[in-house]
Amino acid sequence: MLRNFFKTTFRNLWKNKSYVLINILGLSLSLACCIVAYLNYQFADDYDGNHENQNRIYKIQVAKSVQDQKVPYGITPLPLGTKLADQLSEVKYSTRYNSGGIVMKKDNNVLEEGLGFAEDNCFDIFSFPMKYGSQDALQDRGKIILSEEMAEKLFEDMDPTGEMVTLIKDDGTTLTKLVGGVCEKIPLNSSIHFSGLMHWDNYHSIYDVDRNNWKSFIAATFIMTETEQAPQEVLNTLNANYIAIQNEARDDWKVAEYTLEPLTTLGVNGENLRANWLYRAPPKPAIIVPFVMAILMLLIACFNFTNTSIAISSKRLKEIGIRKVMGGNRNQLIMQFMGENLVLTFIALALSVIISMYLVPAYSAMWDFIDLELNFSANPELYIFLGGLLVFTSLIAGGYPSFYVSSYQPVKILRGNLSLGGTSFFSKALLTSQYVLTAIALIASLAFSQNAQYQSELDVGFEK
């Protein structure tokens, strides 16, 4: 039975090679775009997912009072995070984090890079696996932990642990630090990035900042809670005890309230924050637009599949009539035609994966803040997405032709007086929709292209 099914399927597909080729190419290209759109969405949705304790990490933020409205800011007062874990029962660990630019030098390699500064519990909160050395190096004020990219720039492929690097401050003075370790590559969809990470005390000494100055702000204060429940007590304590202190220090910059942003949503909501000094997820238009364009292309390919399936159904009239006369029922015919559609869609999906191997890196290269990867072993959810895409496309593209063709009356077929609905209302509607969607896709593509060209040629007042 199964052998006969596949034999009939591939025989019919081979008889209509041109139709099969057109539909496979159309579906494979549109499915490849769907794969890119999905990976693009997953990249933003999984922001900060590299941290094991993501569901228990919160960032303390402030809302400033502007014309009687609360405007959210990503920064926090510098002294706020001092030993929060000792003061609040819901907090297991806390750490302050800030960044600053500095010049790093090793022999003839001189690079201006971004330094990160964090407190002792940083690695207890965040997951930054080490390639070389130990995380304990953060506890030593005389050591620096390099990122994998920075280590390659300064030391190429060697293990730099125990080597010395020179830091050149803005005033020209230098500091020498011992490399205590190297972090593995930090994914782009992480809020925290650094070329080098040092203990918090170095921030005060390098930039000459008063530890108790409530007028100064830093990039972030993080807490990790004991459980995954929202720490309401922390929020109440912050608003009860620290608003007055801050507003007394900065009468020109009054804090209306403190808020907590879960790390699970920090990257996505980062674009809504003022003074957000951390990395943020791609803006929503950069996520939504590729999805919309991919769906438009998929619908165009599916409508074309449906139209061509109905158009060539006349070649199978005698087969349908004889099968029905010999005892075949409609359900069997539907399963036969849906099975053929599924096989054709599967071939298109397999081809789309091959196309995606070239399309995904090309799409990533268009953006400095996006790094997509088509990796099935590291992304098992991709199998589920592809399976759902296969079923969805098969039903949308081949559902109507299967029911339409299987409904032919054997008497009319064998008498030769069956009139096919090539110009039926449904066929006209599909064809019209296909043209409309194609026009929309073309107009949108031209608009995006012209906008990209405009932005690349825009005079922003300096030589980029």
Side-chain angles (χ1 to χ4, degrees):
M1 179 70 180
L2 190 61
R3 179 183 178 185
N4 182 64
F5 164 76
F6 282 108
K7 185 176 181 180
T8 304
T9 297
F10 286 105
R11 180 185 296 164
N12 288 320
L13 293 179
W14 183 253
K15 285 181 179 179
N16 303 283
K17 294 185 288 293
S18 58
Y19 141 78
V20 170
L21 182 61
I22 291 172
N23 282 304
I24 285 180
L25 288 176
L27 285 174
S28 59
L29 289 172
S30 59
L31 289 171
C33 291
C34 289
I35 292 173
V36 174
Y38 171 74
L39 293 175
N40 188 51
Y41 163 79
Q42 193 180 50
F43 175 86
D45 185 63
D46 195 37
Y47 220 83
D48 289 313
N50 56 304
H51 301 295
E52 295 180 4
N53 300 312
Q54 183 188 22
N55 293 331
R56 297 164 55 197
I57 301 174
Y58 296 84
K59 178 172 177 279
I60 300 175
Q61 300 179 160
V62 299
K64 180 184 176 183
S65 181
V66 179
Q67 296 180 351
D68 297 327
Q69 293 186 353
K70 296 178 181 179
V71 180
Y73 280 73
I75 54 178
T76 53
L78 185 151
L80 177 66
T82 306
K83 297 181 179 179
L84 282 177
D86 297 336
Q87 304 170 30
L88 303 169
S89 60
E90 290 181 304
V91 178
K92 185 174 183 179
Y93 299 116
S94 66
T95 186
R96 288 174 290 179
Y97 177 83
N98 206 14
S99 57
I102 203 165
V103 175
M104 292 190 193
K105 182 177 183 295
K106 175 61 180 177
D107 299 331
N108 294 326
N109 295 324
V110 182
L111 302 166
E112 185 173 357
E113 299 292 334
L115 273 183
F117 302 90
E119 293 182 287
D120 297 346
N121 291 325
C122 178
F123 288 119
D124 294 317
I125 299 175
F126 298 102
S127 303
F128 291 110
M130 301 295 293
K131 183 177 182 179
Y132 302 116
S134 170
Q135 294 179 343
D136 294 336
L138 182 62
Q139 315 296 328
D140 192 332
R141 280 65 171 166
K143 292 183 179 180
I144 183 172
I145 296 176
L146 299 178
S147 67
E148 185 174 352
E149 295 89 340
M150 191 63 198
E152 291 176 354
K153 291 179 182 177
L154 294 177
F155 299 95
E156 297 182 348
D157 295 330
M158 67 173 287
D159 178 0
T161 305
E163 298 289 330
M164 306 297 293
V165 294
T166 301
L167 306 181
I168 305 175
K169 298 166 62 175
D170 291 340
D171 59 5
T173 58
T174 60
L175 300 170
T176 302
K177 297 292 181 181
L178 185 71
V179 178
V182 176
C183 283
E184 293 182 3
K185 183 179 179 181
I186 303 172
L188 276 182
N189 57 344
S190 175
S191 296
I192 297 179
H193 279 262
F194 51 80
S195 295
L197 184 67
M198 293 195 297
H199 191 272
W200 185 256
D201 287 349
N202 286 289
Y203 170 67
H204 295 285
S205 60
I206 291 176
Y207 298 101
D208 193 22
V209 179
D210 183 1
R211 296 175 183 272
N212 299 312
N213 185 3
W214 282 85
K215 294 182 179 180
S216 298
F217 290 86
I218 58 173
T221 301
F222 291 100
I223 61 171
M224 191 179 90
T225 57
E226 295 282 356
T227 66
E228 294 185 5
Q229 294 181 351
Q232 188 59 43
E233 178 193 341
V234 173
L235 202 57
N236 295 336
T237 303
L238 291 173
N239 285 309
N241 299 338
Y242 294 103
I243 290 180
I245 298 176
Q246 168 59 30
N247 291 344
E248 183 179 351
R250 286 287 300 268
D251 184 62
D252 62 326
W253 211 94
K254 289 187 176 296
V255 172
E257 67 175 352
Y258 287 95
T259 61
L260 294 176
E261 182 70 41
L263 190 64
T264 52
T265 59
L266 177 61
V268 177
N269 294 336
E271 63 175 329
N272 300 322
L273 292 174
R274 296 189 182 185
N276 182 16
W277 299 348
L278 302 180
Y279 276 55
R280 67 198 73 175
K284 291 181 180 178
I287 305 301
I288 296 173
V289 170
F291 242 131
V292 173
M293 294 299 294
I295 291 173
L296 286 177
M297 293 184 65
L298 182 60
L299 288 177
I300 292 170
C302 288
F303 289 169
N304 183 70
F305 185 106
T306 302
N307 280 324
T308 53
S309 296
I310 295 174
I312 68 165
S313 61
S314 58
K315 297 181 180 181
R316 306 186 66 176
L317 291 180
K318 290 183 179 180
E319 174 196 343
I320 297 167
I322 293 174
R323 291 181 66 167
K324 283 194 172 185
V325 170
M326 295 298 293
N329 58 44
R330 188 182 180 190
N331 289 335
Q332 290 175 331
L333 288 173
I334 292 175
M335 293 300 296
Q336 174 71 40
F337 295 130
M338 285 298 297
E340 293 177 7
N341 296 331
L342 186 64
V343 170
L344 194 148
T345 306
F346 180 81
I347 296 173
L349 184 63
L351 183 58
S352 73
V353 173
I354 298 175
I355 296 174
S356 298
M357 293 179 181
Y358 299 92
L359 198 58
V360 169
Y363 182 84
S364 295
M366 295 170 58
W367 314 90
D368 294 332
F369 50 84
I370 294 178
D371 183 19
L372 306 185
E373 185 178 4
L374 187 66
N375 190 333
F376 289 93
S377 59
N379 189 5
E381 295 178 359
L382 190 56
Y383 287 103
I384 300 175
F385 172 75
L386 292 178
L389 196 60
L390 175 64
V391 174
F392 173 80
T393 306
S394 298
L395 291 175
I396 295 297
Y400 179 77
S402 299
F403 286 92
Y404 175 78
V405 174
S406 63
S407 66
Y408 292 161
Q409 297 292 330
V411 176
K412 292 184 179 180
I413 293 174
L414 298 178
R415 284 180 178 176
N417 58 358
L418 176 66
S419 177
L420 295 179
T423 57
S424 66
F425 173 79
F426 185 78
S427 298
K428 292 179 180 178
L430 280 180
L431 194 59
T432 302
S433 300
Q434 186 177 343
Y435 282 127
V436 170
L437 291 175
T438 303
I440 292 174
L442 287 173
I443 293 171
S445 299
L446 289 173
F448 294 148
S449 176
Q450 291 178 358
N451 180 62
Q453 183 178 0
Y454 168 77
Q455 293 194 35
S456 65
E457 297 175 354
L458 178 65
D459 183 9
V460 293
F462 62 92
E463 181 58 48
K464 292 183 289 185

